[in-house]
Amino acid sequence: MKNLLFKYVLLNKRNVIYGILAAVFFAAISIDGHRYYPVALMMCPSLLFSFVVGKMCYMEDSTSTRQFLLSLPVSRTDIIFEKNIMSYICIVVGILIANTGGWIIAIMKSRAFYSDLPLMLAICIFLIIYNTVYIFLNYRYDYSKTQFTPYILLGLMLVLFKSGDELMDFFDNNLFIIWLGALCVAIGLNWYILLKLGIDNRGMFDA
């Protein structure tokens, strides 16, 4: 699986660069104040996921590519979990970019750097659920079934734009341990669902 992961990164290095640049650009939204911090936290990883994992899934959506993947000494589970591991990398790197961008802007504008760990955990939970649904739809059916998912991100982004301050107040008043526990549950469900999908013979690699 490690070799497959490196191969995809090398083949998609242009999309990886585009994803990082898009995330960096969106992190600059913090220049308008920490009320947009939740938006940056959600969109930076989401843009990386779209440019990297989304593009990988798109490239696989052809008979010739599927046949090539099936000819490799890797299992269906390996192919699915390669995308899953990459989705976690997108989350970590995206959140680092969002926080680093906020920190740099805070220094430039001589103001306190804002960070909210419970909010970060909650955003991670949402992103894990979103990524799980995306990967499941792609491999259980086909790439076309994933095309409605960006509207979920758009809807949540609009909510965060409108209610960023209220959302941060809500998470400030909730226990960190609760969100950490919820994150562990989300990760466990993610691995269970995609492992079961990998074992299942039905899906886009049936041909």
Side-chain angles (χ1 to χ4, degrees):
M1 185 188 298
K2 182 174 70 173
N3 291 334
L4 185 65
L5 190 65
F6 287 147
K7 175 182 72 67
Y8 268 111
V9 171
L10 289 175
L11 290 175
N12 291 277
K13 56 186 177 182
R14 180 179 297 179
N15 290 304
V16 172
I17 294 171
Y18 288 161
I20 291 174
L21 290 176
V24 169
F25 177 79
F26 215 96
I29 197 173
S30 297
I31 199 168
D32 287 331
H34 70 264
R35 66 195 300 275
Y36 295 128
Y37 176 68
V39 181
L41 277 182
M42 186 192 73
M43 291 308 299
C44 289
S46 298
L47 287 168
L48 270 173
F49 180 86
S50 297
F51 275 98
V52 180
V53 179
K55 183 63 175 179
M56 290 178 180
C57 293
Y58 171 76
M59 290 173 63
E60 287 179 0
D61 194 42
S62 68
T63 302
S64 60
T65 303
R66 293 176 204 171
Q67 291 174 344
F68 170 72
L69 289 172
L70 290 171
S71 70
L72 297 174
V74 293
S75 67
R76 170 189 168 96
T77 302
D78 288 337
I79 294 172
I80 292 173
F81 270 87
E82 174 255 345
K83 307 299 184 304
N84 197 38
I85 291 171
M86 185 59 72
S87 75
Y88 278 97
I89 294 174
C90 289
I91 291 174
V92 173
V93 173
I95 287 179
L96 284 174
I97 290 173
N99 281 286
T100 302
W103 177 69
I104 293 172
I105 290 171
I107 292 176
M108 292 172 60
K109 301 197 74 172
S110 300
R111 69 188 186 200
F113 168 59
Y114 181 85
S115 181
D116 189 326
L117 191 53
L119 178 60
M120 275 190 269
L121 293 177
I123 293 291
C124 284
I125 291 168
F126 168 79
L127 292 171
I128 290 170
I129 294 171
Y130 174 84
N131 295 349
T132 303
V133 170
Y134 189 102
I135 295 171
F136 179 87
L137 289 174
N138 183 70
Y139 287 104
R140 179 62 182 82
Y141 301 101
D142 56 51
Y143 179 75
S144 66
K145 300 300 187 295
T146 67
Q147 297 308 290
F148 78 92
T149 56
Y151 294 106
I152 299 174
L153 291 176
L154 178 61
L156 183 57
M157 184 181 71
L158 293 175
V159 170
L160 293 178
F161 265 120
K162 183 175 179 59
S163 308
D165 288 331
E166 293 85 350
L167 188 67
M168 287 186 289
D169 290 338
F170 171 78
F171 284 103
D172 281 341
N173 295 323
N174 283 271
L175 295 175
F176 164 78
I177 193 66
I178 294 177
W179 294 108
L180 184 60
L183 177 64
C184 292
V185 171
I187 293 172
L189 287 173
N190 162 263
W191 284 76
Y192 172 77
I193 291 169
L194 295 185
L195 181 61
K196 194 172 185 300
L197 178 65
I199 295 172
D200 192 346
N201 290 323
R202 296 173 296 173
M204 68 177 288
F205 287 121
D206 289 345

